[in-house]
Amino acid sequence: LDGVEQIPLHQEDGGPDGPLTIRLVRLAAGCEVPDHAHPLGEEAYLIEGDLADDHGTYGPGCWVRNPVGGHHWARSDGGALLYVRTGGVGLALD
């Protein structure tokens, strides 16, 4: 996807909650990520910049959780750096 750079940090093949991937993700200014699913869940910590999705707007230091089976779109007006964990998130939120 244009405007998205990723650096893998850690990966495990599986566990009780499925495969686990941890990576740094940089979104360029003006980047828009279309609606996408998270079958294994996702957690993201915003290190710097800004991020918005269908649930709100976030600044540095915010932690965002998309539960197992969740989906969302995302956008960054000024660019962002995120620590992202996919999988191993556990059960969906009720």
Side-chain angles (χ1 to χ4, degrees):
L1 182 62
D2 286 341
V4 178
E5 296 178 62
Q6 300 185 52
I7 299 173
L9 300 176
H10 179 75
Q11 185 166 347
E12 294 177 13
D13 291 334
D17 297 318
L20 169 71
T21 302
I22 298 172
R23 63 196 185 283
L24 287 177
V25 176
R26 181 170 299 278
L27 303 178
C31 182
E32 294 189 22
V33 179
D35 191 76
H36 57 284
H38 292 289
L40 300 174
E42 176 187 72
E43 295 176 326
Y45 178 79
L46 184 55
I47 297 169
E48 63 183 42
D50 64 87
L51 184 71
D53 68 10
D54 21 349
H55 304 290
T57 303
Y58 315 98
C62 286
W63 172 78
V64 180
R65 182 179 191 271
N66 293 292
V68 170
H71 66 91
H72 70 119
W73 55 264
R75 146 181 111 247
S76 180
D77 294 331
L81 178 63
L82 301 111
Y83 175 95
V84 179
R85 174 183 169 155
T86 303
V89 174
L91 301 175
L93 293 175
D94 292 330

